[in-house]
Amino acid sequence: DTMNLLLLLLSFVGIYGCYITYGILQEGVYKFESPLDGSRFKSTLTLLLFQAVLNTVCSFLFNMFVLRRVRAPPLSFSKPGASFITAMLCSNEALRYVSYPTQVLAKSCKLVPVLLVNVLFYGKQATYLQYAHVVLVTVGIVLFRLNPNSDSADTNSTYGLLLLLGSLILDGYTGPTQKKLSEGFLKRKDPLKPTELMFFCNFWGAIAVAAAMLLMGENTHGIEYLLHPEHTQLLWEATIFSLAGTMGQFFIYFTLLEFGSLTLTTITTTRKFFTILFSVLVYGHQLMAMQWFGVGVVFAGLCLDGVEKYQIRQKMKSM
């Protein structure tokens, strides 16, 4: 009906708007040059702490006023919380060494480590579509990296690619572990809501980042850099991109609850393509024909995820 269409439009606009804004401003934060000495923002930990605290506060308030319950974050979620925030650290830090289109495509490989962890450690069977997804995404990434004369090859360092690999490995641990812990609540007939999972992981993630900052002696250097009167543009970009990331998570959870994983997968998959497109237009990345073909192969692989979810949904309806 009309209300469902309006809610679907809200989900579509919300996810697209938040994550395209998030991607463009995130890249801008790491490209910012100080008018004082030409230095760039390097304190990824400060930015992560800000994001984790913001996500924690917003999810806490949502749980309190909408769900009308707030559970204390179980200690068992400290591990996926730490791995989740460390994956974000690697991914964000990589932007200092790779172009944003490369980061987006690399993060599209997330199913690869998740599939490996599920098969090797949790004994779950992978489907043919999942294997096809992995093959297509991997081939697409290879094609994207083949052209040595492109902007991608000039700006992407081996260290940056290793950071993205580390982020993927941590994602491979985080997702299945979160699911395993959430199943424990389901067995007790007390299912965990997505925003409660968001609260738990960001709470422990914020503690992990704060501890890392103390151990590394980073203290307030990053905060002082952000708050410098000559860095007002950077502060605004960091604030808006963090808010966009938080709101994006809420739109994802809203879409998942209202329309299911198939609709969510369709929206998020197409969103990644347009994020790359906007990054190319705004920051002038030069991508060759082979690289655009690689992007197309990656998104063909991502579409298989939607096909599989559709098949699962149809099977469940027929039962």
Side-chain angles (χ1 to χ4, degrees), residues 218-255:
E218 186 165 317
N219 300 322
T220 60
H221 300 311
I223 297 173
E224 290 169 2
Y225 190 93
L226 282 172
L227 295 179
H228 195 284
E230 294 294 327
H231 299 162
T232 305
Q233 177 193 343
L234 175 65
L235 179 60
W236 272 108
E237 287 185 353
T239 301
I240 295 171
F241 118 79
S242 298
L243 284 169
T246 301
M247 291 303 299
Q249 287 193 49
F250 277 106
F251 275 114
I252 280 177
Y253 293 140
F254 171 78
T255 306

Side-chain angles (χ1 to χ4, degrees), residues 34-277:
S34 172
L36 298 174
D37 54 12
S39 62
R40 292 193 174 189
F41 182 73
K42 298 179 180 178
S43 184
T44 301
L45 284 174
T46 299
L47 208 55
L48 270 184
L49 182 63
F50 184 43
Q51 287 180 267
V53 170
L54 184 63
N55 288 342
T56 301
V57 171
C58 289
S59 55
F60 173 84
L61 293 174
F62 183 90
N63 295 338
M64 175 179 285
F65 294 108
V66 179
L67 297 184
R68 297 191 179 278
R69 70 177 185 190
V70 177
R71 306 193 225 205
L75 185 60
S76 57
F77 279 84
S78 60
K79 289 182 180 179
S83 63
F84 146 78
I85 208 72
T86 308
M88 282 185 66
L89 171 65
C90 292
S91 180
N92 289 2
E93 182 72 6
L95 273 179
R96 293 173 57 195
Y97 307 97
V98 303
S99 67
Y100 191 71
T102 299
Q103 189 218 44
V104 173
L105 282 184
K107 294 293 284 182
S108 298
C109 293
K110 188 181 291 188
L111 183 64
V112 179
V114 170
L115 185 145
L116 289 174
V117 169
N118 275 326
V119 171
L120 297 177
F121 295 99
Y122 292 110
K124 295 186 177 180
Q125 295 294 319
T127 65
Y128 290 115
L129 279 177
Q130 286 177 325
Y131 284 120
H133 170 114
V134 169
V135 170
L136 283 174
V137 169
T138 304
V139 169
I141 294 292
V142 171
L143 290 173
F144 186 80
R145 293 288 302 150
L146 276 181
N147 196 320
N149 300 316
S150 68
D151 171 76
S152 171
D154 291 338
T155 58
N156 295 337
S157 72
T158 301
Y159 179 62
L161 296 174
L162 287 173
L163 284 171
L164 290 174
L165 177 62
S167 178
L168 285 171
I169 292 171
L170 288 164
D171 281 338
Y173 168 81
T174 302
T177 305
Q178 285 177 332
K179 188 173 182 180
K180 192 77 173 176
L181 290 171
S182 299
E183 286 172 354
F185 284 84
L186 194 60
K187 289 176 181 176
R188 298 200 299 267
K189 297 183 179 179
D190 189 20
L192 198 63
K193 299 294 184 183
T195 50
E196 291 180 302
L197 181 61
M198 178 180 173
F199 174 58
F200 294 167
C201 288
N202 280 281
F203 174 84
W204 289 113
I207 290 176
V209 173
M213 290 178 72
L214 289 174
L215 289 172
M216 296 173 67
E218 186 165 317
N219 300 322
T220 60
H221 300 311
I223 297 173
E224 290 169 2
Y225 190 93
L226 282 172
L227 295 179
H228 195 284
E230 294 294 327
H231 299 162
T232 305
Q233 177 193 343
L234 175 65
L235 179 60
W236 272 108
E237 287 185 353
T239 301
I240 295 171
F241 118 79
S242 298
L243 284 169
T246 301
M247 291 303 299
Q249 287 193 49
F250 277 106
F251 275 114
I252 280 177
Y253 293 140
F254 171 78
T255 306
L256 184 64
L257 291 173
E258 289 291 328
F259 301 104
S261 59
L262 177 60
T263 301
L264 177 61
T265 300
T266 303
I267 295 174
T268 54
T269 298
T270 53
R271 185 274 304 173
K272 289 177 181 177
F273 176 82
F274 283 101
T275 301
I276 291 176
L277 183 60

Side-chain angles (χ1 to χ4, degrees), residues 16 19-24 27 95 99-109 140-141 144 151-152 268-288 291-300 302:
Y16 264 63
Y19 280 107
I20 289 176
T21 301
Y22 178 89
I24 297 299
E27 189 170 6
L95 273 179
S99 67
Y100 191 71
T102 299
Q103 189 218 44
V104 173
L105 282 184
K107 294 293 284 182
S108 298
C109 293
I141 294 292
F144 186 80
D151 171 76
S152 171
T268 54
T269 298
T270 53
R271 185 274 304 173
K272 289 177 181 177
F273 176 82
F274 283 101
T275 301
I276 291 176
L277 183 60
F278 272 89
S279 178
V280 169
L281 293 175
V282 173
Y283 294 108
H285 298 297
Q286 298 297 315
L287 300 186
M288 303 302 179
Q291 291 180 293
W292 280 115
F293 180 66
V295 171
V297 173
V298 168
F299 285 101
L302 293 177

